[in-house]
Amino acid sequence: MFGKKISRRQFLGLSAVAAASMTIDWNKLEAIAGKIRDKRRFPALVIGAGLGGLCCGAFLARAGFPTVIVEQNTTPGGYATSFQRAGGKFDFEVSLHGTTVENNEAARILEKLGVLDKLRLAELPEIFRVKTPSWEYPVPQKDPEKLIEILSSRFPSETVGIAGYIHEMLAIEEEVDRYNRKKSQRRTTADLLVPLQFPRMWRIRNKTLEEHIAQFVADPECQAALGSLWAYYGLPPSKLSAFYYAIATGGYLKNGSCYIKDRSSALSDLLAGAFVQAGGTIRYGARVEKIGLRDGRVSGVTLGNGKPLAARAVAANCGAPAIFDKMLPAEAVPEKFRRKLAKCHPSISTFIVWLGLNEELRGKIDGCSYHMQRADSHERDYQDCIDGRVDRGYYSVTIYDNAYEGYSGPGLSTVMVLFACGYGPWKKFEQDYWRGEKTAYYEQKKRWTDILIRRAEKDVIPGLSGMIEVVEAATPLTNWRYTGNADGAIYGFEQSMENSFVRRISEDPPVKGLFLASAWANPGGGFTGVLQGGAWAFLSMLQYYERYQI
């Protein structure tokens, strides 16, 4: 095979492997920054104070570039934040269930920014727990062999395949880590050696998760168990990249999952603090309406109040559809790129119910994060979510007090019930919602809330409805309102096979001086993804400044 000529399609697949596993060459960053003379001549502006924007902005400010972040809300973080109810009695997490910040790129990024050692982290008792109509099992922390034992006890005839699949996933994660340690940020013809040096990465590059799992096990229920984390990435196994799944899930199995004790808002606040301490400025309660260009390059932005802000480069930590359809002049976006954008679709959204309970659950119910799924068909679960069949589609229940002792106050508990949701069921309310006419919207919101509470009471928390003191809920329209993400997307563009890795929208689109530091660009969503995206946008901005310094 390796003696044959590699086709363009194969090379793209190979380059995708390289792109997906890029690590940051910190020495290179410092060398490039050192070449740029008089950094005051290169003011930068960041649209949005989500994790990607804060990360990019903090690196820019630390490197000496005058940098302003413009944020429409009054606090930083985007989805990485929390909110209080009942006078502070309950502190609800907006998005975080668990993340991995150990021995990976996210940890190295946060360490470079002086943030990692300030986070109070709690290792979760297990990564997550799966519950189907027929059985329930935990996915243990940092113990892949225990997971093999658990699954093999249920599917003894598939023991060899189960072990082979999990070991292969860990080996792929190890290859990526080894690739990271060897490679700099630039991709060259040396990537042609990837098939020889990293054969597992090569073999899996163009496979869906469904195809990959089928190589190891045949039992449909066992296949579903091996792909049970699909909802974390927003697509079912038939559409999701096996490589994407293997890297992320392998990282969880190897390094474990943790929760930020002070909520995800603590991470956002620390990044904002690092940015401001380095000399950056955050303008809260301001919205960018237009991105200006001069001589074909970004020259700054115009705020909603009409005030212009000059910048030599702009990093956008906001929805890509809004950037290219509304903020930029139509002629600034090449037609070829517009056609590519047209093929990209916003990811799945969420309907979330937060519950403040007047009873302690810790010690009474095992498990922290339950994934409620069909036993043998993620495809039907996914379609039910897209269609808004809230009474039967995939959903999760997170009991935060089982993450660590003292999460809630004495005699209290905090619970999140999440339904992965398509935007379609809420589109009919869109026009009235933005006009402030929400009667029908609120009725639907309450109906869905009641259904999810009943499901959680039946499946996970007996007597739940009698414990509730506070109820709050959010729809895909809520997500859109607070983040600006079209369709309430939680992962930017979805990670389909056609829109992953090198095929994904780059952090450096074809508009000079514009960069994407968000889940909408490479590598994608999730806390780790957007932190990497912010760092990659910073590198691209440095290279742009280096090329165009006057």
Side-chain angles (χ1 to χ4, degrees):
M1 171 184 174
F2 300 129
K4 297 179 181 179
K5 182 179 179 181
I6 296 177
S7 69
R8 182 177 182 275
R9 181 175 181 273
Q10 288 175 320
F11 182 76
L12 285 177
L14 178 151
S15 297
V17 171
S21 54
M22 285 191 299
T23 188
I24 304 298
D25 186 337
W26 301 106
N27 292 330
K28 180 180 178 181
L29 286 180
E30 293 171 3
I32 294 174
K35 294 178 183 178
I36 300 172
R37 302 177 299 276
D38 191 7
K39 296 181 177 62
R40 291 171 298 177
R41 296 183 302 134
F42 298 94
L45 187 137
V46 180
I47 305 172
L51 293 183
L54 290 169
C55 175
C56 182
F59 277 122
L60 284 165
R62 286 165 62 93
F65 297 99
T67 308
V68 175
I69 296 178
V70 177
E71 169 56 46
Q72 65 174 351
N73 295 314
T74 57
T75 56
Y79 285 124
T81 188
S82 60
F83 63 95
Q84 295 183 341
R85 290 293 183 267
K89 191 174 182 178
F90 295 100
D91 192 356
F92 293 120
E93 175 64 62
V94 167
S95 67
L96 183 63
H97 301 86
T99 188
T100 177
V101 284
E102 183 178 338
N103 299 321
N104 64 4
E105 195 68 358
R108 290 186 284 270
I109 288 169
L110 295 177
E111 184 177 26
K112 278 290 180 181
L113 292 175
V115 166
L116 184 61
D117 62 352
K118 298 176 183 176
L119 286 173
R120 296 198 312 138
L121 301 174
E123 185 173 290
L124 297 178
E126 56 198 26
I127 298 175
F128 65 100
R129 182 171 291 240
V130 175
K131 189 169 185 179
T132 76
S134 57
W135 72 309
E136 174 183 333
Y137 64 95
V139 176
Q141 285 271 34
K142 301 180 182 179
D143 194 349
E145 297 305 318
K146 181 64 176 177
L147 178 59
I148 293 171
E149 179 185 326
I150 291 169
L151 295 177
S152 296
S153 67
R154 176 74 175 183
F155 309 103
S157 65
E158 298 281 16
T159 297
V160 174
I162 291 168
Y165 170 79
I166 291 177
H167 290 155
E168 180 75 0
M169 186 159 52
L170 293 169
I172 290 168
E173 196 276 339
E174 287 287 346
E175 276 197 355
V176 170
D177 190 55
R178 181 160 54 89
Y179 181 91
N180 285 344
R181 292 195 298 268
K182 290 185 67 174
K183 292 290 291 184
S184 70
Q185 185 78 324
R186 290 191 190 277
R187 301 189 293 277
T188 69
T189 53
D191 290 338
L192 293 172
L193 297 177
V194 167
L196 289 171
Q197 296 179 341
F198 307 97
R200 288 182 170 87
M201 291 165 57
W202 171 255
R203 287 197 299 265
I204 200 175
R205 71 198 185 285
N206 287 328
K207 286 186 173 65
T208 66
L209 179 60
E210 181 180 68
E211 292 168 337
H212 182 58
I213 292 175
Q215 291 181 307
F216 293 89
V217 301
D219 184 288
E221 190 175 351
C222 185
Q223 290 177 343
L226 295 179
S228 59
L229 204 58
W230 68 270
Y232 261 27
Y233 313 121
L235 285 174
S238 65
K239 298 181 179 181
L240 183 63
S241 161
F243 185 36
Y244 185 81
Y245 187 93
I247 294 172
T249 307
Y252 274 112
L253 293 179
K254 175 186 172 184
N255 299 319
S257 182
C258 66
Y259 182 75
I260 301 170
K261 283 189 172 183
D262 301 309
R263 316 301 189 259
S264 60
S265 55
L267 172 58
S268 302
D269 290 341
L270 285 168
L271 286 171
F275 170 68
V276 172
Q277 187 175 13
T281 301
I282 304 179
R283 299 188 58 159
Y284 291 109
R287 182 189 294 270
V288 171
E289 294 291 335
K290 299 291 182 183
I291 298 174
L293 289 92
R294 182 181 300 118
D295 299 326
R297 299 181 192 175
V298 166
S299 60
V301 303
T302 302
L303 302 183
N305 61 7
K307 183 175 181 179
L309 291 177
R312 293 289 293 274
V314 168
N317 180 204
C318 55
I323 297 167
F324 297 104
D325 292 340
K326 298 178 181 179
M327 294 184 183
L328 284 166
E331 65 275 11
V333 184
E335 183 58 31
K336 182 179 179 180
F337 186 71
R338 283 201 181 277
R339 290 196 299 270
K340 182 175 182 179
L341 284 171
K343 297 178 182 178
C344 301
H345 304 289
S347 77
I348 203 166
S349 187
T350 53
F351 184 94
I352 299 178
V353 178
W354 294 274
L355 301 172
L357 309 183
N358 57 17
E359 187 171 323
E360 291 188 14
L361 297 180
R362 185 176 175 84
K364 300 177 182 178
I365 298 176
D366 293 331
C368 183
S369 185
Y370 284 79
H371 290 227
M372 316 302 297
Q373 304 176 351
R374 283 186 172 92
D376 62 354
S377 180
H378 296 318
E379 304 302 316
R380 284 186 290 164
D381 268 336
Y382 172 76
Q383 196 58 51
D384 283 344
C385 290
I386 293 300
D387 295 339
R389 297 188 181 100
V390 69
D391 58 328
R392 63 185 186 187
Y394 160 88
Y395 79 106
S396 67
V397 178
T398 303
I399 303 171
Y400 283 99
D401 296 272
N402 284 345
Y404 66 91
E405 188 173 2
Y407 188 98
S408 304
L412 303 174
S413 296
T414 303
V415 171
M416 176 197 285
V417 185
L418 181 152
F419 179 71
C421 178
Y423 181 69
W426 294 90
K427 186 175 178 60
K428 61 185 177 183
F429 301 106
E430 181 181 308
Q431 292 185 1
D432 287 345
Y433 181 88
W434 296 117
R435 287 198 299 260
E437 299 171 4
K438 301 182 180 180
T439 301
Y441 165 82
Y442 285 140
E443 290 175 354
Q444 182 78 325
K445 185 176 177 181
K446 185 178 187 307
R447 188 178 76 83
W448 279 38
T449 298
D450 292 343
I451 290 172
L452 285 174
I453 290 173
R454 288 197 298 269
R455 291 186 72 185
E457 185 168 32
K458 175 179 176 291
D459 295 332
V460 182
I461 309 173
L464 172 62
S465 58
M467 309 175 193
I468 297 172
E469 185 172 328
V470 174
V471 180
E472 187 64 82
T475 74
L477 283 164
T478 314
N479 292 347
W480 194 341
R481 174 187 170 195
Y482 281 99
T483 67
N485 283 352
D487 296 359
I490 58 172
Y491 298 127
F493 287 125
E494 64 183 11
Q495 286 277 0
S496 65
M497 292 296 293
E498 297 77 23
N499 189 32
S500 293
F501 312 131
V502 78
R503 298 179 182 89
R504 192 167 178 82
I505 298 298
S506 169
E507 75 278 359
D508 186 3
V511 178
K512 291 179 181 178
L514 175 66
F515 305 88
L516 304 182
S518 71
W520 297 87
N522 213 5
F527 281 30
T528 296
V530 294
L531 287 170
Q532 283 183 287
W536 293 357
F538 167 61
L539 174 68
S540 293
M541 293 175 83
L542 281 184
Q543 292 172 329
Y544 173 76
Y545 280 152
E546 181 186 20
R547 287 195 304 268
Y548 291 105
Q549 58 181 321
I550 300 171

